[in-house]
Amino acid sequence: MKIEDTPEGWDVLDSKERFQGHVVKVVTDTVKMPRDEVADRDYVVHPGAVAVLALDDRDRVLLIRQYRHPTRMLMWELPAGIRDVEGESLLAGAARELEEEAGYRADTWYTLVDLRTSPGMSDERIRVFLARDLTKVETDFVHRHEEIDMPVEWVPLADAVEKALMGMIHNSPAVAGILAAYAASVEGFALLRPADAPEA
């Protein structure tokens, strides 16, 4: 059997919207299961997100720290944001987030890894990019809410891997991006897809 996620759609007999928030909504689908069983499935409909693992010429990862209210934690993360600009490509969104949140631009981009963060309860998808050849830039972006006084730190990639494996970094795109970058660096990033690779 081929080990690759593939598109599949089971019949939805009914769908009810339970909640509509500022970013997400919650729905219940009544799904026809194999052998004619029927079951309700609640899930979060999410616009998706992009994240950026910025890696400098000293093999250091750029990390930011934000307060995340649902977890009641200050969490170390990659620059990231939801896909909330109509018509904006994933790459353009990632470049915008890197500049707005961290004050950097990158000349070289790759697709690092694609994630479905919690596929049993959400349709959220996140593309994590690898950004190289970085330049510090001035930005007039106004930070608000969780982004106020957000520190930016450069962490050696090997140290970031250790922190992820030791349970010191929990944010899923950060953990996946750090481990993927470390694995990809073994082959000099030759196995990575181009920045405009199609998304499943």
Side-chain angles (χ1 to χ4, degrees), residues 66-75 77 167-168 170:
Q66 289 194 64
Y67 174 68
R68 293 301 184 185
H69 186 70
T71 65
R72 306 304 197 271
M73 295 177 79
L74 289 168
M75 301 187 77
E77 307 181 353
M168 299 167 74
H170 301 92

Side-chain angles (χ1 to χ4, degrees), residues 3-190:
I3 307 299
E4 180 179 353
D5 296 340
T6 56
E8 173 81 5
W10 293 357
D11 291 339
V12 175
L13 306 178
D14 190 29
S15 187
K16 292 184 175 71
E17 185 175 302
R18 304 295 188 181
F19 168 80
Q20 176 67 61
H22 177 67
V23 175
V24 301
K25 67 179 176 180
V26 178
V27 300
T28 301
D29 284 353
T30 302
V31 183
K32 185 176 180 193
M33 299 286 173
R35 292 184 278 284
D36 293 327
E37 288 189 75
V38 174
D40 287 343
R41 293 293 176 257
D42 303 321
Y43 62 98
V44 175
V45 178
H46 191 284
V50 291
V52 182
L53 188 133
L55 193 65
D56 71 5
D57 57 5
R58 295 167 56 190
D59 284 336
R60 297 180 304 168
V61 178
L62 187 152
L63 295 176
I64 59 175
R65 191 184 70 187
Q66 289 194 64
Y67 174 68
R68 293 301 184 185
H69 186 70
T71 65
R72 306 304 197 271
M73 295 177 79
L74 289 168
M75 301 187 77
W76 287 100
E77 307 181 353
L78 305 178
I82 60 173
R83 302 175 188 184
D84 59 354
V85 177
E86 186 71 31
E88 184 178 58
S89 71
L90 300 181
L91 178 58
R96 177 177 51 80
E97 293 292 347
L98 179 62
E99 184 169 331
E100 288 176 357
E101 291 194 344
Y104 280 87
R105 287 191 186 133
D107 289 335
T108 305
W109 291 86
Y110 299 95
T111 295
L112 183 57
V113 67
D114 289 322
L115 307 173
R116 293 285 187 160
T117 49
S118 188
M121 57 81 62
S122 175
D123 69 351
E124 182 183 17
R125 63 209 187 283
I126 301 177
R127 169 153 289 179
V128 182
F129 290 90
L130 174 67
R132 305 292 314 262
D133 302 317
L134 302 160
T135 304
K136 181 74 173 142
V137 294
E138 293 298 322
T139 176
D140 56 3
F141 181 75
V142 178
H143 291 248
R144 299 180 64 222
H145 306 299
E146 290 89 350
E147 295 179 344
I148 292 175
D149 297 325
M150 184 170 60
V152 175
E153 293 290 336
W154 289 96
V155 179
L157 179 57
D159 291 354
V161 169
E162 181 178 334
K163 291 180 183 304
L165 295 178
M166 295 300 292
M168 299 167 74
I169 297 174
H170 301 92
N171 175 272
S172 59
V175 171
I178 288 165
L179 298 180
Y182 188 75
S185 70
V186 173
E187 297 291 335
F189 304 107

